[in-house]
Amino acid sequence: MEQAKDIRPMKSFSKDVIALEKGKLPPQAIDLEEAVLGAMMIDKKGIDEVIDILQPEAFYKEAHKYIFEAIDQLFVSNQPIDLLTVSTQLRTNGKLDLVGGDYYLVGLTQRITSSAHIEFHSRIILQKFIQRSLIRISNEIIEDAYDETSDVFDLLDKAEAKLYEVTQGNIKKSSETAQSLVAQAKKRIEEISTKEGLSGIPTGFHKLDDLTSGWQPSDLIIIAARPGMGKTAFVLSMARNIAIDSGAGVAFFSLEMSSVQLITRLISSETGLSSEKLRTGKLETHEWEQLNVKVKDLERAPLYIDDTPSLSIFDLRAKARRLASQHGIKLIIIDYLQLMTAGGNQKGGGNREQEISTISRNLKALAKELDIPVIALSQLSRAVETRGTSKRPLLSDLRESGAIEQDADIVSFIYRPEYYKIDEWDDELGGSTTGQGEFIVAKHRNGGLDNIRLKFLGHFGKFDNLDSDLSSSDVFGSSMNTNEGYGNSRNFANSLPPADDVFGRSSINDDDVPF
């Protein structure tokens, strides 16, 4: 009984606090709203300065929302904007009487003589809007927090998502008109046409970039393979190309390897020093100099590595939002999907396929929310290795494939026949498989499919472009007759450490893990 008495006053107090907060006058700047709208109707320069800062919801007075909405519609359709055209647009929208008629519009234009300081005024209006949004969101969080049926992790994720929207100054609209969307699409096409290069984030792999035009914003890309194929090596090579060559920020969430192990593999790739030498630290004097000089670009690269184990999808989204806000990251990589947990109210021993479905759905939502590509590595089932001569993976080999295949914009595989001791390619191009891998694009929602051959350098744990004019011995930079280095490519391949050693595989990759 005493416990019940303690709880009731607390809930009552909460409602009183919320009611008191709602009773206050919300932050507003009506006079500045009038000045900005009046300036927009008398000076085109004023429109150009504030049209990207404000949106109808930023205005406190309902009539001002309708007026700005009419101005925005005229701006999008490239129509002249003045007192008469705004009046006509409001009449078309059926809102002229709601704003007070032509008399009110004339009054707005008489309050101001020029568009001086209009940008400063509009930013104050935006600040008041953000304050009102924070009050609204805070009250919603308080009410949800007192709901005993709410899951605390869902509540945290929802709260952080709402605050992130405010931080970005991009409060979600309920919907957008086709007219507005067409204008945005045309603007993006025009921007792409003036650029030399790709519309998305370049991977550094030429044929892949030709196929995809780079990784596109809001896309979820799945890269799947069996253990030992080089999933981590591929995405590390790609992260290096994006962060160093393109200067775009990359967030790498590693649930399997430590951040120091990953950066050591990148150092090996960047310096040309084998991973074995870096592991043992047995470097010659000139190799120490090589190490110190060639890591400079890597040190300056906008690459952020998080090696939190058993990361939940909610923690990942929170971390990704902060990285996007603080560092402007342009790509997220997760290594790998099956090591993540759904978090929230998921209980142990539940349906793993449902959990993976929740994770993949949230990864797609994260890509759309941040408007950047998200790449998730995934394991393939053992069915690949039980097949006959061809070990090339298929979509049906994806673990928990239904949800992953459905949510992903691109599903791709990494395949190295050499790992299975297959010496010749089984496609129409043929040739030796030594030192080569294949990037298979099996699903591409917005483009074509292809199998792209790449060079694989096992001693550096990296992938690179495969030039068609290179022979198999040239791939490793040595000839058949030289007595220096590794000799021919076949001997070099045989001299490599075991695959487990090259890739740093652990038992967590084995099929005994119940994923």
Side-chain angles (χ1 to χ4, degrees), residues 81-129:
I81 298 170
D82 56 35
L83 182 61
L84 294 175
T85 57
V86 172
S87 173
T88 303
Q89 186 64 45
L90 282 167
R91 188 176 289 107
T92 302
N93 295 345
K95 303 285 179 64
L96 183 59
D97 291 337
L98 294 176
V99 305
D102 290 330
Y103 179 79
Y104 188 77
L105 295 179
V106 171
L108 290 177
T109 60
Q110 290 177 342
R111 288 176 179 272
I112 197 85
T113 57
S114 74
S115 63
H117 313 302
I118 188 172
E119 184 179 352
F120 181 75
H121 293 161
S122 67
R123 294 199 181 279
I124 294 176
I125 294 171
L126 182 62
Q127 288 172 19
K128 300 298 181 184
F129 172 53

Side-chain angles (χ1 to χ4, degrees), residues 16 62 153 177 181 301 309 332:
D16 291 341
E62 200 73 17
F153 295 104
T177 65
L181 294 171
I332 294 172

Side-chain angles (χ1 to χ4, degrees), residues 243-309:
I244 294 179
D245 295 342
S246 300
V250 178
F252 196 114
F253 292 92
S254 175
L255 287 81
E256 181 180 19
M257 297 178 66
S258 73
S259 53
V260 175
Q261 285 177 316
L262 288 173
I263 208 69
T264 302
R265 290 176 64 165
L266 279 171
I267 290 171
S268 172
S269 170
E270 199 65 16
T271 61
L273 300 171
S274 69
S275 55
E276 186 180 357
K277 282 195 171 187
L278 293 176
R279 256 196 322 270
T280 59
K282 295 177 180 178
L283 304 180
E284 304 293 337
T285 303
H286 72 279
E287 290 175 326
W288 281 111
E289 294 175 0
Q290 184 178 339
L291 174 64
N292 291 327
V293 170
K294 291 195 174 182
V295 295
K296 296 296 183 185
D297 287 340
L298 186 58
E299 288 175 337
R300 292 190 291 266
L303 177 62
Y304 307 92
I305 299 176
D306 186 308
D307 61 358
T308 306

Side-chain angles (χ1 to χ4, degrees), residues 140-141 144-146 150-160:
E140 289 173 0
I141 293 171
D144 289 343
Y146 276 102
S150 297
D151 180 82
V152 67
F153 295 104
D154 290 340
L155 182 59
L156 281 171
D157 185 62
K158 191 197 300 185
E160 187 156 25

Side-chain angles (χ1 to χ4, degrees), residues 442-474:
K443 175 192 173 182
H444 191 185
R445 186 165 284 158
N446 301 305
L449 309 178
D450 200 1
N451 297 346
I452 299 165
R453 288 193 194 176
L454 298 171
K455 183 194 303 181
F456 175 68
L457 304 173
H459 54 312
F460 298 139
K462 69 178 285 189
F463 283 83
D464 205 346
N465 292 293
L466 179 64
D467 297 325
S468 59
D469 59 340
L470 291 181
S471 66
S472 60
S473 60
D474 290 333

Side-chain angles (χ1 to χ4, degrees), residues 179-345:
Q179 186 181 37
S180 170
L181 294 171
V182 168
Q184 292 177 41
K186 284 170 63 179
K187 184 178 179 182
R188 176 165 172 77
I189 293 167
E190 287 169 4
E191 289 173 353
I192 294 169
S193 68
T194 58
K195 279 198 229 176
E196 287 184 9
L198 308 168
S199 59
I201 304 295
T203 65
F205 300 111
H206 307 320
K207 290 186 178 179
L208 180 57
D209 287 337
D210 290 342
L211 180 67
T212 62
S213 196
W215 299 135
Q216 300 298 314
S218 79
D219 273 4
L220 172 62
I221 299 110
I222 299 295
I223 301 176
R226 285 293 294 158
M229 289 294 105
K231 295 187 297 294
T232 304
F234 177 81
V235 290
L236 273 179
S237 302
M238 184 174 59
R240 180 262 168 220
N241 296 340
I242 294 169
I244 294 179
D245 295 342
S246 300
V250 178
F252 196 114
F253 292 92
S254 175
L255 287 81
E256 181 180 19
M257 297 178 66
S258 73
S259 53
V260 175
Q261 285 177 316
L262 288 173
I263 208 69
T264 302
R265 290 176 64 165
L266 279 171
I267 290 171
S268 172
S269 170
E270 199 65 16
T271 61
L273 300 171
S274 69
S275 55
E276 186 180 357
K277 282 195 171 187
L278 293 176
R279 256 196 322 270
T280 59
K282 295 177 180 178
L283 304 180
E284 304 293 337
T285 303
H286 72 279
E287 290 175 326
W288 281 111
E289 294 175 0
Q290 184 178 339
L291 174 64
N292 291 327
V293 170
K294 291 195 174 182
V295 295
K296 296 296 183 185
D297 287 340
L298 186 58
E299 288 175 337
R300 292 190 291 266
L303 177 62
Y304 307 92
I305 299 176
D306 186 308
D307 61 358
T308 306
S310 301
L311 190 66
S312 76
I313 185 61
F314 300 111
D315 290 338
L316 173 74
R317 290 179 67 167
K319 288 170 181 282
R321 290 186 191 111
R322 284 193 287 272
L323 285 167
S325 176
Q326 296 170 10
H327 302 291
I329 58 169
K330 300 299 181 186
L331 178 75
I332 294 172
I333 298 172
I334 299 140
D335 182 14
Y336 57 90
L337 189 148
Q338 279 85 5
L339 292 181
M340 292 187 67
T341 62
N345 56 6

Side-chain angles (χ1 to χ4, degrees), residues 456-459 476 478 486-496:
F456 175 68
L457 304 173
H459 54 312
F476 298 104
S478 56
Y486 292 100
N488 65 50
S489 60
R490 183 74 65 182
N491 290 335
F492 167 77
N494 292 335
S495 70
L496 291 177

